């Protein structure tokens, strides 16, 4: 018996291997990215980074239809993108099993919203499992696959940031190979024209009713009852269950593995054994509302619907009710005071910094997008004025253009990364071209998906395993759409960036500017000798400081700038903004 300490994400990847899954297609997004990043090391599984979550979902629908167990992984907002095929997949059902892993981000550590993906299970009328630790994360992939094939349904497997990135012991098993099914040719099932879809809706309702019935009668291993104290009973699931066990060790607990549909009969029996029943869950009162809707008396918890739960927060909530004393102290409670602060910032040598410096200098409005370049909003660059969702920058710039009869198009740009452009930005650009837009779109082509961990994308020229792959040429792609004005600029050439921005924003036609420098940490070959500042030439004008590079610091006593050479990557941007030739390259 082999045991390993694995993160929740690595455990889900291991679960996919052991469950005999043959195809995984995903789009990276924190906190889910490491699942597929780990799966790529299993040669028994075909894995790929898709261009977006909708495409990934459709790839796995196809591979399920072809008879191979399949899985797709995404963050919570990615499920919005994939929801179109998911809602109809609920109607068609599956051939081979299909698992959809979605990772929510309570507290929004790396997300633009805090949505609770459990609602998608009810919305699509499909089962959702929620593991509480890495061991369950691995095991639940197998359980989800079995449910998927038994009931012909996609199954949602929900993680959250705390589960995805925390580590616990996992017992490794062997891979369970399954015989590939035949390609399913079944027109009434798979062709969702209205006449067929109406009949399949009955199937969806009957399936949900059957799962609910089986949960109450045959699937008792999906709920786990611990009777300790009959004064209070806690219904919980997922990572919240771990907080309950630590904050309320003497309480009776009913742990739910499946959060939709609910094992209502088992919950009602548990409720009858305790004087007061509470539901402990993160974000929305999803389970609580379900129980109340079915006539189960649940006490109000008076908790915030925002942010993560924690043992400390639970201790505060239940100590106010007199169930525990307010004396909980986290095991490593003094560590935070000793850790150095690491405020968000673009990396030293980031290839985006030059273009944001130019946008700021020209006082342009920047419709931004999702990626590490969103950090361009921070001072001193302050060059990002909106961020909504993947691909929105291009469409919003078009809306700004049309909403102002072209006036604001002369004072604004869209800013989008290469991966995000290929995700959904390309659709917005086609729309702008088709509808005679006059906006200026900047594509920051650093040839990698940076913020989620440097995953390759179709513009990188590498596959998920790092081998050579066909490469999309974004410049040729834009010209191929018919866009006449496409310019490629060096983002470290400030004058070129300024002149190109002035020229293209003044143009009353759609134009595209593409930057052409790689991510400094994805292609470390571009790192060179650091720069330093000659104190006798530095006038303290702060032109270099305003670039916002973490390697350029300000000595408030001397009132001079200086460079931390341990951070400097030698990108060469700062000497281009220094008018006094005070910045020199080490070794020259």
């Amino acid at each position: 018996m082999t045991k390993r300490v694995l993160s929740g994400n690595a455990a889900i990847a291991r679960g996919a291997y052991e469950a005999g899954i043959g195809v995984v297609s995903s789009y990276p997004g924190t906190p889910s990215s490491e699942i597929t990043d780990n799966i790529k090391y299993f040669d028994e599984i075909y894995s790929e980074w898709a261009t977006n979550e909708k495409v990934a979902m459709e790839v796995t629908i196809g591979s399920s239809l072809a008879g191979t167990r399949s899985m797709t992984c995404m963050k919570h907002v990615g499920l919005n993108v994939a929801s179109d095929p998911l809602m109809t997949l609920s109607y068609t059902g599956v051939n081979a099993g299909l698992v959809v892993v979605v990772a929510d981000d309570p507290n929004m550590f790396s997300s633009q919203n805090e949505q609770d993906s459990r609602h998608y299970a009810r919305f699509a009328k499909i089962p959702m499992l929620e593991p509480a630790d890495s061991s369950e994360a691995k095991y639940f992939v197998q359980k989800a696959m079995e449910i998927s094939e038994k009931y012909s349904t996609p199954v949602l497997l929900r993680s959250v940031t705390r589960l995805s990135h925390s580590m616990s012991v996992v017992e490794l098993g062997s891979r369970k190979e399954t015989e590939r099914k035949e390609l399913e040719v079944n027109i009434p099932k798979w062709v969702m024209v209205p006449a067929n879809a109406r009949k399949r809706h009955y199937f969806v309702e009957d399936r949900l009713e059957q799962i609910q019935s089986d949960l109450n009668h045959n699937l008792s291993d999906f709920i786990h009852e611990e009777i300790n104290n009959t004064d209070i009973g806690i219904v919980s699931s997922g990572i919240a269950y771990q907080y309950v066990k630590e904050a309320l060790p003497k309480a009776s607990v009913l742990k739910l593995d499946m959060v939709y549909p609910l094992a209502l009969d088992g919950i009602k029996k548990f409720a009858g054994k305790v004087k007061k029943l509470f539901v402990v869950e993160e974000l929305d009162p999803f389970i609580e509302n379900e129980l109340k809707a079915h006539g189960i008396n649940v006490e109000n918890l008076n908790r915030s619907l925002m942010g993560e739960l924690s043992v400390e927060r639970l201790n505060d909530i239940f100590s106010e009710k007199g169930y525990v004393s307010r004396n909980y102290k986290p095991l490593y409670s003094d560590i935070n005071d000793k850790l150095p602060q690491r405020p968000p910032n673009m990396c030293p040598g980031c290839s985006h910094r030059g273009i944001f410096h130019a946008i700021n200098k020209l006082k342009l409005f920047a419709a931004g997008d999702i990626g590490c370049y969103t950090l361009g909003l921070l001072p001193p660059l302050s060059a990002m004025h909106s961020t909504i969702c993947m691909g929105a920058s291009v469409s919003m710039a078009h809306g700004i253009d049309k909403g102002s009869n072209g006036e604001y198009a002369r004072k604004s740009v869209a800013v989008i990364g290469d991966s995000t452009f290929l995700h959904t930005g390309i659709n917005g650009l086609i729309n702008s071209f088709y509808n005679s837009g006059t906006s200026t779109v900047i594509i920051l082509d650093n040839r990698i998906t940076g913020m989620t961990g440097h995953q390759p994308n179709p513009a990188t020229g590498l596959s998920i395993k790092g081998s050579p792959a066909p490469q999309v040429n974004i410049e040729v792609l834009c010209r191929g759409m018919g866009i006449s004005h496409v310019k490629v600029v060096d983002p470290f050439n400030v004058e070129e960036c300024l002149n190109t921005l002035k020229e293209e924003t003044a143009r009353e036609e759609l134009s595209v500017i593409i930057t052409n420098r790689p991510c400094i940490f994805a292609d470390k070959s571009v790192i060179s000798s650091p720069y330093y500042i000659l104190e006798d030439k530095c006038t303290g004008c702060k032109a270099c400081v305003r670039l916002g590079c973490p390697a350029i610091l300000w000595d408030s006593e001397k009132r001079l700038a200086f460079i931390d050479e341990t951070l400097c990557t030698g990108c060469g941007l700062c000497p281009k903004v220094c008018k006094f030739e005070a910045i020199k390259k080490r070794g020259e």
Side-chain angles (χ1 to χ4, degrees), residues 332-577:
Y332 300 108
S333 57
D334 57 340
I335 282 184
N336 282 342
D337 295 335
K338 298 176 182 177
L339 291 174
Q341 296 298 307
R342 187 172 177 267
N345 196 352
M346 287 194 294
C347 303
C350 175
S351 58
H352 304 330
R353 184 167 282 106
I355 197 76
F356 279 127
H357 173 73
I359 290 170
N360 176 291
K361 199 163 186 176
L362 295 175
K363 305 302 178 191
L364 296 173
F365 182 96
D369 225 296
I370 306 294
C372 52
Y373 48 89
T374 309
L375 297 173
L377 75 93
L378 298 171
L381 294 171
S382 305
M384 185 78 78
H385 302 96
S386 69
T387 302
I388 301 296
C389 65
M390 295 283 283
S393 61
V394 183
S395 310
M396 288 179 65
H398 178 68
I400 290 169
D401 174 14
K402 295 301 181 182
S404 64
N405 291 322
E407 177 186 353
Y408 292 146
R410 309 284 74 78
K411 305 172 184 175
S412 64
V413 292
V415 182
I416 188 169
D418 51 341
S419 183
T420 312
F421 173 69
L422 296 169
H423 179 280
T424 38
I426 188 172
N427 303 307
L429 188 62
I430 292 171
N431 179 68
S432 294
F433 174 70
Y434 168 62
N435 289 299
S436 304
T438 68
S439 55
T440 301
V441 176
I442 303 171
I443 302 174
L444 307 172
D445 183 10
N446 66 355
R447 296 156 216 166
I448 204 74
T449 310
M451 193 171 222
T452 53
H454 297 127
Q455 292 82 10
N457 64 55
T460 307
L462 297 173
S463 73
I464 189 172
K465 293 178 182 276
S467 57
Q471 183 176 17
V472 172
N473 185 317
I474 293 177
E475 180 186 359
V476 173
L477 181 64
C478 293
R479 293 189 188 281
M481 290 181 196
I483 300 171
S484 301
H485 307 286
V486 181
K487 289 191 174 180
V488 179
V489 300
D490 179 355
F492 292 135
N493 187 330
V494 175
E495 286 304 314
E496 183 184 22
C497 290
L498 286 168
N499 292 334
T500 304
L501 279 172
K502 289 177 186 174
E503 185 177 337
E504 297 307 320
T505 53
R507 193 187 301 280
E508 294 187 355
E509 290 182 70
L510 178 65
S511 62
V512 175
I513 301 170
I514 303 170
T515 63
N516 66 352
R517 291 283 193 138
C519 172
I520 196 80
F521 292 114
D523 181 1
K524 294 182 180 177
S525 66
V526 299
I527 297 176
S528 62
S529 300
Y531 284 81
Y532 64 100
I533 294 179
L534 297 170
E535 287 193 4
D536 59 338
K537 287 194 173 183
C538 178
T539 64
C541 70
K542 289 190 175 181
C544 58
V545 176
R546 284 193 288 273
L547 290 173
C549 177
I552 303 175
L553 305 170
W554 177 251
D555 187 328
S556 57
E557 291 185 3
K558 294 181 179 177
R559 300 199 61 75
L560 297 174
F562 67 99
I563 291 176
D564 181 345
E565 295 185 38
T566 63
L567 291 177
C568 179
T569 61
C571 72
L573 179 62
C574 54
K576 293 187 174 70
V577 300

Side-chain angles (χ1 to χ4, degrees), residues 88 91 188 191-204:
T88 303
Y91 279 47
V191 182
M192 286 301 95
V193 293
N196 291 337
R198 291 188 192 105
K199 295 174 183 174
R200 293 300 293 183
H201 193 176
Y202 285 94
F203 163 78
V204 171

Side-chain angles (χ1 to χ4, degrees), residues 116 118-119 122 262 279-293 298 300-301 303-306:
D116 189 331
R118 293 178 296 176
H119 294 289
R122 184 197 288 119
L262 293 173
V279 175
V280 173
E281 54 191 327
E282 280 185 328
L283 301 180
D284 297 341
F286 179 83
I287 297 173
E288 182 177 332
N289 286 347
E290 283 283 317
L291 299 191
K292 288 179 176 176
V298 178
N300 291 325
L301 200 56
R303 67 175 178 86
S304 171
L305 303 185
M306 282 71 78

